[in-house]
């Protein structure tokens, strides 16, 4: 394996130093360059046909200049010294007249993390990717005559980045991700229902050694067929058991966003000022960890050039820390932010989650259901949303069952659940010993989407509101 | 010809025998200002440009995009699109549209005023909006953010079948998120104003709206579950109108995944419900002379007085269905290949004011905002379930605010249950307009 300096091909070190100095020239007290070369391809199958192969390439740099709490930002697709200097000038205009007096610290190159990718997706024939989708289509259609439509997609992306700043940070990363999804529509007397499955990892094409696309397709089809016979979801508040691996979104929404330091700094989080306090059931230990190899939200460095880390956010129910980016960490005089992320070079970084998950408890997952006289069992969750100011959050269930007398009985139709973050965290009354990570997620915040991972063991929330229609 | 149009022409000139090429080029210059606590929080400015290239050969389509307008980058994207085309399934209906002779509307979507508007005044406008919000009500204890955003965008499209299109538009936007608080209770709401030029903005309306909406939610409680009439405010009804529009995609009809596949000519909604997509109306923020395959945009009435009239098509779906394109090709910028989509959906307004509608409903729920739309709405089954903020309606008047509550129904039942359509049409900075809309019954889930 030859040693590489990731991102070096984007902008050379001498140019980086020149551009950062120019960015500081008007009086800013911090400057940063984030250069990125991103390539991706998507193959999609729908209606039994390979409808489209799409490829895209984006290459450019964003330059940020900070003076106090004010940030100037500009980006350019022109990675020449001329293009970068023009962007530096535009970004620095906001700092004009500033007495920052910051000087460029000597750049200190951080060694790259060795690549974990075994098979770069771009080295795999397009025909092989097409074949994966055809197999998924055939497997889903074989699941039964009520399968009406199948769509499947394969996506690959490679993102090479270089980050450097006036504090001397110089770091690069090479991020490779692969994702596969299948969606099935089944049709019956009660109308149409959908079932989906998706897998994704920060790794190469070897991901398909881990996952069997036929099995995923059958699972998605089974879910759609099951829901043809589902009854309307209940309407009202009751205990909810969430299957392992499917419910990390509960924590992502109930408290993850509320623990992002930018919300805290503006006091628009219900968790403001609560470090050291009991904010959750003692059964809750919540971690955000960008270092987990191969997980969907994994990164060697965040998008501000700092190494990712494992951060314990809540330990035994006590709030231990928020998540930080550079700007908020500096304001609070803290070292080592690890959660500054951005969608692309065209965006400013902000505090974002990476892989966020609840640690194991000690309950037997089957026993959790048996000990629940009545409620809802959620086997698959969709996305969610939170209002950090009020703490109210919603998330969707896409496979769920009634629990009656400690036994799963009938499947129920899709609906959202709603709860209040702090209350839901206190209402977690059993946590299983069967931890698993869940499906790949895309977290949206202020218009920027980034890949995030989530996970949890099977658990029960004493009371959540099910937004169904049953009378 | 504009520089973009010349470049598009150049790409099309690279086509080889036996293939057709379409080049879609766009460029946008944006300024984005966030202010907080009387200071600039961030000021961003940049020009973004790129191209999306489609190649069709032997009934197979390939697509590639690139975030650059350099000739070398365009040539690489074309080569990639050409390679991609070799792997898709050949179908007789796959192809680019030929010119259809429809004349584009003459629209006035560009204002020189924006290009010369100084950055200092944009910053000042955002700061002033923040101050206005703080001054309006003592219960406003924070402004989460106040923002100025503007964009001047242009596009050009050319194809080797002879389609040529070029268009440009400007827009600017001021918005604010206000946080109202009393004791431990906090509620937030946003207000906005949008125009094609700064002189068209009404910041006082944005401030007043954000404050009134945040303050009126203070003291919200979780109500008991019930089945009751629901009134959507314009911002909410716009999202549901868009949802109905997406179910009327001709492509989905062909694939058997539209709720309305077999319903053409039949009543699908209550009388008085007329749903139109009209990008030729320059009051719409999605107004455009051309669709994203370069055909002239036109007015399509999808549902008239409750009866389903037509589906929406791009050229590929139309050819497969044996009909003609309704000029509803849409793409999410240069990075995506076109699919079927609406740009300017609205409900034809009725005669009632919002107050009239509350009086007519008597007792029910007014919905001011929804959450979890992406996780709780299934446009294939038609079921939806979303979190809401709003106020109960008692005896025709707004009463106590509600929190941590959902509403649920299905698209089919909602359309049949429309009992009042407001006269208060409001074009939102999106692909839809909203108005006050009352539905006879939905499930509200609470305590």
């Amino acid at each position: 394996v030859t040693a590489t300096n990731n991102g070096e091909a984007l902008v050379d070190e001498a140019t980086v130093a020149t551009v950062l100095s120019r960015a500081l020239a008007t009086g800013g007290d911090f400057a940063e360059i984030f250069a990125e070369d991103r390539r991706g391809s998507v193959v999609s199958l729908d209606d039994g046909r390979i409808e489209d192969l799409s490829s895209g390439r984006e290459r450019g740099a964003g330059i940020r200049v900070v003076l106090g709490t004010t940030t100037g930002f500009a980006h350019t697709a022109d990675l020449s010294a001329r293009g970068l200097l023009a962007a530096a000038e535009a970004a620095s205009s906001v700092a004009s007249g500033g007495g920052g007096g910051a000087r460029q610290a000597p750049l200190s190159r951080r060694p790259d993390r060795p690549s974990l990718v075994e098979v770069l997706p771009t080295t795999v024939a397009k025909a092989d990717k097409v074949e994966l989708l055809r197999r998924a289509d055939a497997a889903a259609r074989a699941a039964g005559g009520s399968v009406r439509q199948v769509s499947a997609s394969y996506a690959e992306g490679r993102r090479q980045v270089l980050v450097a700043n006036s504090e001397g940070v110089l770091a690069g990363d090479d991020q490779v991700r692969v994702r596969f999804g299948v969606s099935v529509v089944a049709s019956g007397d009660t109308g149409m229902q959908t079932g989906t499955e998706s897998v994704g990892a920060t790794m190469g094409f070897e991901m398909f050694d881990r996952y069997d696309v036929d099995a995923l397709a059958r699972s998605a089809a089974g879910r759609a067929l099951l829901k043809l016979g589902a009854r309307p979801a209940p309407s009202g508040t009751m205990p909810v058991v969430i299957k392992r691996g499917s419910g990390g979104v509960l924590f992502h929404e109930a408290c993850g966003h509320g623990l992002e330091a930018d919300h805290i700094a503006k006091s628009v989080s219900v968790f403001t000022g609560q470090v050291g306090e009991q904010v959750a059931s003692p059964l809750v230990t919540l971690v955000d960890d960008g270092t987990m190899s191969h997980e969907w939200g994994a990164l060697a460095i965040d998008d501000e050039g700092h190494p990712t880390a494992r951060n314990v956010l809540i330990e035994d129910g006590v709030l231990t820390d928020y998540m930080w980016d550079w700007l908020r960490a500096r304001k609070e005089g803290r070292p080592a932010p690890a959660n500054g992320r951005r969608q692309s070079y065209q965006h400013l970084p902000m505090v974002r989650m990476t892989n966020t998950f609840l640690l194991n408890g000690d309950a037997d997952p089957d026993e959790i259901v048996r000990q629940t006289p009545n409620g809802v069992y959620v086997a698959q969750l969709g996305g969610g949303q939170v209002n950090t100011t009020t703490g109210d959050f919603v998330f969707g269930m896409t496979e769920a069952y009634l629990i009656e007398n400690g036994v799963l009985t009938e499947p129920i139709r899709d609906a959202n659940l709603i709860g209040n973050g702090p209350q839901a965290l206190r209402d977690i009354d059993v946590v299983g010993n069967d931890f698993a990570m869940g499906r790949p997620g895309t977290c949206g915040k202020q218009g920027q989407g980034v890949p995030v991972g989530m996970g949890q063991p099977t658990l029960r929330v004493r009371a959540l509101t099910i937004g169904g229609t049953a009378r | 010809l504009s520089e973009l149009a010349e470049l598009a022409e150049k790409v099309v000139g690279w086509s080889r025998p036996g293939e057709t090429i379409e080049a879609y080029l766009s460029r946008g210059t944006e300024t984005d200002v966030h202010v907080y606590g009387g200071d600039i929080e961030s000021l961003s400015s940049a020009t973004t440009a790129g191209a999306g290239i489609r190649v069709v050969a032997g009934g197979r389509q390939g697509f590639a995009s690139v975030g650059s307008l350099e000739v070398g980058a365009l040539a690489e994207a074309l080569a990639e699109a050409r390679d991609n085309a070799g792997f898709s399934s050949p179908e007789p209906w796959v192809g680019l549209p030929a010119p259809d002779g429809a004349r584009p509307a003459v629209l006035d979507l560009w204002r020189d005023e924006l290009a010369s508007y100084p950055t200092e005044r944009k910053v000042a406008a955002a700061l002033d909006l923040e101050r206005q919000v703080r001054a309006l009500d003592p219960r406003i204890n924070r402004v989460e953010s106040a923002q100025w955003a503007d964009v001047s965008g242009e596009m050009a499209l050319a194809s080797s079948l002879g389609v040529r299109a070029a268009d440009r538009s400007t827009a600017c936007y001021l918005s604010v998120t206000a946080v109202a608080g009393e004791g431990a209770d906090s509620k937030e709401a946003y207000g906005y104003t949008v125009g094609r030029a700064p002189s068209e903005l009404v910041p006082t309306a944005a401030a007043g709206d954000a404050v009134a909406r945040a303050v009126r939610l203070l003291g919200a409680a979780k109500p008991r579950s019930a089945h009751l009439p629901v009134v959507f405010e314009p911002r909410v009804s716009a999202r549901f109108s868009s949802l109905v529009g997406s179910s009327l995609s001709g492509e989905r009809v062909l694939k058997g995944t539209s709720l309305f596949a077999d319903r053409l000519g039949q009543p699908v909604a209550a009388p008085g419900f007329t749903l139109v997509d009209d990008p030729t109306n320059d009051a719409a923020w999605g107004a455009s002379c051309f669709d994203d395959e370069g055909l002239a945009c036109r007015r399509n009435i999808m549902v008239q007085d409750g009866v389903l009239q037509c589906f929406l098509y791009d050229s590929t779906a139309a050819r497969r269905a044996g009909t003609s394109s309704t000029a509803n090709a849409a793409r999410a910028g240069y990075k995506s290949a076109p699919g079927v989509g609406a740009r300017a959906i609205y409900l034809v307004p009725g005669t009632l004011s919002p107050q009239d509608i509350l009086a007519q409903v008597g007792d029910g729920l007014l919905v001011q905002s929804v959450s979890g739309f992406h996780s709780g709405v299934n446009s294939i089954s038609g079921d939806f379930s979303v979190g809401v903020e709003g106020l109960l309606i008692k005896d025709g008047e707004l009463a106590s605010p509600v929190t941590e509550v959902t509403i649920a129904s299905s698209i089919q039942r909602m359309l049949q249950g429309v009992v009042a359509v407001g006269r208060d049409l409001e074009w939102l900075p999106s692909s839809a307009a909203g108005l006050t809309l009352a539905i006879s019954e939905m499930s509200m889930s609470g305590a």
Side-chain angles (χ1 to χ4, degrees), chain A residues 10 34-38 58-62 76-79 84 345:
Chain A
L10 288 171
F34 175 87
E36 178 184 40
D37 187 353
R38 176 196 291 264
E58 300 290 322
R59 198 165 177 269
T76 176
D78 178 359
L79 289 177
L84 293 169
Y345 77 87

Side-chain angles (χ1 to χ4, degrees), chain B residues 64-83:
Chain B
S65 72
V66 62
S68 166
L69 296 178
E70 285 175 26
V71 171
L74 296 173
E76 271 178 39
L78 171 59
E80 187 68 27
R82 195 175 268 147
D83 188 57

Side-chain angles (χ1 to χ4, degrees), chain A residues 41 46-59 69-75 77 90 94 126-127 130 134 148-149 185 192-194 234-237 263 265-268 328 345-346 348 382-385 387 389-390 392 394-396 413-420 465-471, chain B residues 36 39-48 61-67 76 80 83-84 87-89 91 93 142 144-145 179 186-188 222 225 227 251 255-259 320 334-335 337 371-376 378 380-381 383 385-387 389 403-406 408-409 413 441 443-447:
Chain A
S41 287
D46 198 1
D47 200 22
R49 302 170 182 85
I50 301 296
E51 283 203 326
D52 195 31
L53 275 80
S54 297
S55 309
R57 183 169 188 193
E58 300 290 322
R59 198 165 177 269
T69 56
T70 295
T71 298
F73 183 68
H75 60 81
V94 77
K126 288 177 184 173
V130 165
R134 292 209 176 281
R148 179 146 181 186
Q149 197 50 275
V185 178
M192 290 185 283
Q193 287 291 341
T194 55
S235 169
T237 300
H263 294 307
K266 290 187 174 181
S267 296
V268 288
R328 282 79 189 184
Y345 77 87
Q346 299 179 356
L348 273 169
Q385 188 178 344
N387 176 335
T389 298
T390 61
D392 285 354
V394 293
F395 54 96
R413 292 169 78 111
D414 295 355
N416 260 326
L417 287 81
I418 193 162
N420 182 265
T465 299
I466 316 284
T469 58
R471 283 172 187 272
Chain B
Y36 178 72
D39 274 324
I40 302 174
E41 186 177 28
S42 67
L43 192 162
S44 311
S45 56
T47 294
T48 307
Q61 174 178 307
F63 177 84
S65 72
V66 62
E76 271 178 39
E80 187 68 27
D83 188 57
N84 283 342
F87 295 90
S88 64
S89 308
E91 297 293 353
W93 58 77
R142 283 187 297 284
E144 183 175 347
S145 78
V179 181
S186 271
K187 292 288 182 289
E188 67 174 34
K222 185 168 181 144
S225 301
H227 296 266
E251 184 180 343
K255 291 175 178 173
T257 59
S258 168
L259 289 172
R320 183 175 175 190
Y334 67 83
K335 291 179 195 173
S371 63
F373 212 81
H374 64 298
S375 61
N378 187 323
I380 291 176
S381 71
D383 291 349
S385 160
V386 292
E389 288 181 319
T403 187
E404 211 189 316
V405 61
T406 64
S409 181
R413 286 198 300 274
E441 187 186 274
S443 306
M444 177 176 76
S445 299

